[in-house]
């Protein structure tokens, strides 16, 4: 496939995904983020990279944020929000952590490409990103790209959009957020 057709096809895939995202689900996640002081996050692989970027932006926004596997991560309590990303909705070690977090009565949010798999059954909030995922099976936007690329790209963009929406709904600003950026680079 030639370059111009390829990027236009990929942009069209992304357009289709965002046309199908349920804004009510996104608003539920935003409300949970606004409500909770401490937010924990977990994702793996390329979707984990998008989730780590979101963790950084939530910290810039002013939340107390913890990445699941950091050695300094404290215990989860019922007052916390834990956001998981799992494209296929049944990644073994993510599901195990969700089961453990469920025991704490923390609020569990799951962003997934397959909302009818076992991990989603434990979540309080589900955001379905209807993009082709690795080992997915639902009625999602198909992709010319390999494995879960479309889901991962959609996730990265959606998470950035959520930050913008949070800023728009608050007295926060990008300028205030930039003050929280690491200052020893």
């Amino acid at each position: 496939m030639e370059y111009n057709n390829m990027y236009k096809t990929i942009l069209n895939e992304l357009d289709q995904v965002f046309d199908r995202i349920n804004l009510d689900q996104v608003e539920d996640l935003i409300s949970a983020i606004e409500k909770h002081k401490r937010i924990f996050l977990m994702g793996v692989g390329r979707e984990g990279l998008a989730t780590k970027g979101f963790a950084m932006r939530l910290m810039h926004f002013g939340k107390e944020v913890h990445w699941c596997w950091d050695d300094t991560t404290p215990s989860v309590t019922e007052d916390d929000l834990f956001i998981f990303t799992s494209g296929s909705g049944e990644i073994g070690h993510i599901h195990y952590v969700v089961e453990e977090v469920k025991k704490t009565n923390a609020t569990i949010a799951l962003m997934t490409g397959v909302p009818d798999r076992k991990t989603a059954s434990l979540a309080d909030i589900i955001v379905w990103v209807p993009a082709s995922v690795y080992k997915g099976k639902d009625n999602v936007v198909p992709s010319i790209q390999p494995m879960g690329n479309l889901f991962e790209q959609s996730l990265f963009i959606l998470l950035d959009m959520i930050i913008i929406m949070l800023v728009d709904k608050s007295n926060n600003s990008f300028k205030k957020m930039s003050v929280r950026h690491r200052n020893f680079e």
Side-chain angles (χ1 to χ4, degrees), residues 79-90:
D79 297 324
D80 299 325
L81 169 63
F82 208 128
I83 301 171
F84 295 88
T85 57
S86 177
S88 71
E90 56 183 17

Side-chain angles (χ1 to χ4, degrees), residues 2-171:
E2 77 174 58
Y3 175 82
N4 285 336
N5 289 335
M6 188 182 313
Y7 86 78
K8 288 177 183 173
T9 300
I10 292 169
L11 290 175
N12 183 50
E13 291 173 2
L14 288 164
D15 189 49
Q16 291 177 60
V17 169
F18 281 89
D19 279 347
R20 291 181 57 189
I21 288 177
N22 182 330
L23 187 55
D24 290 337
Q25 293 176 347
V26 175
E27 288 290 345
D28 288 345
L29 179 57
I30 289 170
S31 294
I33 292 168
E34 290 172 324
K35 175 182 171 186
H36 291 87
K37 179 182 180 241
R38 290 195 326 167
I39 301 173
F40 294 74
L41 296 102
M42 180 184 183
V44 296
R46 289 165 43 105
E47 60 198 50
L49 295 175
T51 309
K52 278 187 176 182
F54 186 52
M56 182 191 309
R57 289 292 183 247
L58 287 171
M59 179 276 297
H60 293 153
F61 185 74
K63 294 293 182 175
E64 180 181 335
V65 178
H66 300 282
W67 184 251
C68 181
W69 299 122
D70 284 347
D71 291 336
T72 58
T73 300
S75 59
V76 179
T77 73
E78 66 185 11
D79 297 324
D80 299 325
L81 169 63
F82 208 128
I83 301 171
F84 295 88
T85 57
S86 177
S88 71
E90 56 183 17
I91 298 170
H93 56 292
I94 291 179
H95 185 77
Y96 168 77
V97 174
V98 171
E99 288 178 323
E100 293 302 304
V101 170
K102 189 74 174 174
K103 295 173 187 176
T104 70
N105 292 319
T107 301
I108 296 172
L110 175 68
M111 302 183 79
T112 185
V114 189
D116 63 351
R117 295 236 173 114
K118 65 182 183 177
T119 303
S121 69
L122 299 175
D124 302 298
I125 299 163
I126 298 170
V127 177
W128 180 38
V129 180
S132 178
V133 297
Y134 185 59
K135 296 186 177 182
K137 64 177 181 71
D138 281 12
N139 176 19
V140 296
V141 175
S143 181
I144 64 164
Q145 302 174 75
M147 296 173 272
N149 279 27
L150 184 59
F151 176 79
E152 296 147 4
Q153 293 159 353
S154 300
L155 186 63
F156 202 101
I157 293 167
L158 179 57
L159 292 171
D160 279 349
M161 290 172 62
I162 288 171
I163 292 297
I164 294 168
M165 294 165 79
L166 282 163
V167 169
D168 286 349
K169 292 177 70 172
S170 70
N171 64 356

